[in-house]
Amino acid sequence: MKTLRQLTPSESLFIGGETPSVYQHTAALVELDARAVPGYSFATFKRHMQTHILRIPQFRWKLHEVPLGLDLPYWVEDRDFDPDWHIRRIALPSPGDKKALSELAAWLYSRHLDRSRPLWEIWFIEGLGEGRFAFLQKVHHCMMDGEGANRLTAVMWDLEPDAGPREIDPAIANAAAGDVPEAWQQSLNTALHLTRSSLRITGEIYDTLRHQLTTYNPFTPPKHARAGAPETCLNGDISGDRGLVFGSLPLADIKAIRRRYGVTVNDVLLAIVGGSMREYLLARGELPQQALRTSVAISLRTAADDKFSNRVTTTSVTLATDLADPLERLRAISGESQRAKESAHHGSKSVLEYLQLFPPLAVKAMMYLAPAEQIARLMGVNLIVSNIHGSPRPMYVGGARARAIYPVSIISPGGGLNVTCMSYAGRVYFGLTIEPRLVAEPWKLMDGIRKALREYKALAGVGRRRS
């Protein structure tokens, strides 16, 4: 009998959730400084990437989808794998400035990955000036989450300019795709999975209702009732267009604020984003009385989980934009974030986890049929904010130093803004992915993030000289 390898429900969710206007791939825009590498070119870059990527089996796998999306797809080997198709080049128009780079990166991101091939591509970008290049690396979310992509970076990039390829964990290096299923195997698995899905859905609904009924007390309101998300200009239907805004902050400043107030780095980042959103909406005369809410990712990985996979859930957290006082905002965010993490690690399920119970066909139908405002209301958020831990050391690609890494991530109907942060080599790099029709003057959001950090530094006394 053939050996089969199906996607997990969490991986398959990103297949069913893709539509003409919703992309389920993430990306990284990386700026390279190759001034110390004479003759650095696309050929140098491509040679490095091919040497490293060909050592990772998963990058030669493609999807075998079940007709009509009735069951989870299968991972199979791409017998016609061509690395030249996946690694390509493009040039910026003169003068190759920040604005042109952001526009090109957003345009490259706004194209679906070809499902008949392995779900990744890399674009080498020329035209930034002497000895400076960039590249945009796209990977479908069904292959890995943010932490998985971070582990991929550790394999594909080097810690020294002239380093050779590093050892790959045997669990990754020896991973194998499955065979293409026979028609009878595929039909049998589909029937079994549809039956089991129905039973799981029924069981989950029963467990949820039972928990609510056994814990409900009409005389005792919930101690920490979670509010819904207010209506804002950020929320509405989306097109297939994307915009990108980026920038960075010193990680040392954020850590100093964290230590001063006994919170987490993620709490500080959320408070900074909250401050920026408050200023942005106040300037437009559109700040709602109710606080904006964000969806944050919570990793469920353990120390032993080092695979390129998806081990993440999401939860809703306040950005406390209703609070003018920055310290009150930080404390409110920290308190709710801590409760949300504890709830997630004790089995509380998000909407995404319930969606994983359905086959891709049902998820796709929901994406097509549900109005954007209902999706936003169901998720209970106005925007997405996520935080990824990157390498504390500088990394190199073919000898060129990666001087900046800006994340580009997913937005869905009902929400026009995703703020993803990534720490790398002493800085935190922000990538703000937007729906241009919903977010006007988006660079003001990055200006607001810098201003919010200065405000917290001043309050915490960060950077003051000691007498």
Side-chain angles (χ1 to χ4, degrees), residues 275-288 321 324 329:
S276 176
M277 294 307 308
R278 177 181 169 84
E279 180 178 83
Y280 177 81
L281 293 173
L282 271 174
R284 295 169 58 91
E286 298 178 1
L287 179 69
T321 51
R329 185 182 312 127

Side-chain angles (χ1 to χ4, degrees), residues 32 48 52 55 150-167 389-402 405 422-426:
L32 295 176
H48 170 94
H52 289 63
R55 301 169 68 225
N150 193 31
R151 295 170 194 271
L152 168 66
T153 298
V155 174
M156 292 178 60
W157 302 6
D158 301 322
L159 291 173
E160 302 292 341
D162 54 355
R166 285 183 281 173
E167 290 292 326
H389 301 287
S391 171
R393 296 173 56 185
M395 302 191 77
Y396 300 83
V397 179
R401 175 172 173 161
I405 307 174
M422 182 174 183
S423 61
Y424 166 67

Side-chain angles (χ1 to χ4, degrees), residues 243-257:
L244 175 65
V245 168
F246 53 78
S248 68
L249 300 177
L251 179 58
D253 289 348
I254 293 169
K255 286 185 173 181
I257 296 166

